Amino acid sequence: MLKAYIDGGAAGNPGQAAIGVVIYDSKGSVVTEIKKSIGSKTNNEAEYLALIEALRFLKRFKDKKIIIYTDSRLLWGHLTNRYKVKEETLFPYFIKAHNYLIGFPNLKIEIIGREKNKKADTLVKSIIKARYLNL
C-alpha cells in the first residue's frame, strides 16, 4: 500500500506556483518527495498538477493499493464526481488526471484537513518562498 499527500499553491491567484508531493509506503517510510516550480498558475491548477505529478510517479505501482490525500475540496469533488468542472481552464487538467486514474484499479482519493497535509504544504511553500518571494 502507498499513501500520497499532494498540494499545490500560488503566490497570488493566479501567480507563481509550485507543487508538493510526498509518498509513503505501508511502513510509513518516505518513498519520494517531489517539489517543483510550475510557473504562473491558479491555486486550483496547481492542485491538479500536483495530482498529475503524483500519478506519473505512481504509475509504476499501479497494481498496489494507493490512497491519495488532498486538502483541495474542489479537486476531490471533481474527481469523485461530486462537483461538476465548471471552470473551463481546469477542464484539460481534469481530463488528464481522469485519463491517468483509469489505469489505477486500486486507487482512492480522500479529502483531508490542511493540518494533516503539512509535509506537502511545506514543500510547496519552500519553493514559493525561495523562488518567488525571495525569503
Side-chain angles (χ1 to χ4, degrees):
M1 178 203 240
L2 296 170
K3 294 180 180 182
Y5 291 78
I6 63 169
D7 200 17
N13 199 22
Q16 294 304 310
I19 62 167
V21 176
V22 184
I23 299 174
Y24 298 93
D25 65 16
S26 59
K27 296 177 183 175
S29 298
V30 174
V31 174
T32 193
E33 288 184 1
I34 303 166
K35 62 180 184 176
K36 191 184 281 192
S37 170
I38 56 171
S40 183
K41 303 285 182 206
T42 66
N43 285 322
N44 290 331
E45 288 171 321
E47 296 282 1
Y48 265 103
L49 288 169
L51 171 66
I52 290 165
E53 192 68 29
L55 292 171
R56 276 191 195 129
F57 179 84
L58 289 166
K59 69 182 174 183
R60 68 188 92 171
F61 305 104
K62 65 183 177 185
D63 294 328
K64 288 188 178 266
K65 182 177 179 185
I66 299 169
I67 303 173
I68 295 181
Y69 296 98
T70 179
D71 60 19
S72 169
R73 185 161 295 282
L74 184 73
L75 177 73
W76 171 80
H78 286 166
L79 296 170
T80 58
N81 297 315
R82 287 170 173 82
Y83 306 155
K84 288 184 179 182
V85 181
K86 295 179 182 176
E87 193 175 328
E88 285 183 31
T89 58
L90 293 180
F91 198 71
Y93 298 108
F94 171 79
I95 294 297
K96 191 169 192 170
H98 185 268
N99 287 340
Y100 265 111
L101 290 167
I102 290 170
F104 288 88
N106 302 308
L107 186 139
K108 192 161 99 173
I109 297 176
E110 292 190 10
I111 184 80
I112 57 172
R114 289 183 186 189
E115 70 283 353
K116 293 183 179 177
N117 205 21
K118 287 192 186 273
K119 182 76 171 172
D121 181 63
T122 298
L123 294 175
V124 170
K125 288 179 178 171
S126 71
I127 293 286
I128 290 174
K129 286 179 182 178
R131 295 224 169 126
Y132 305 121
L133 302 179
N134 296 319
L135 298 175

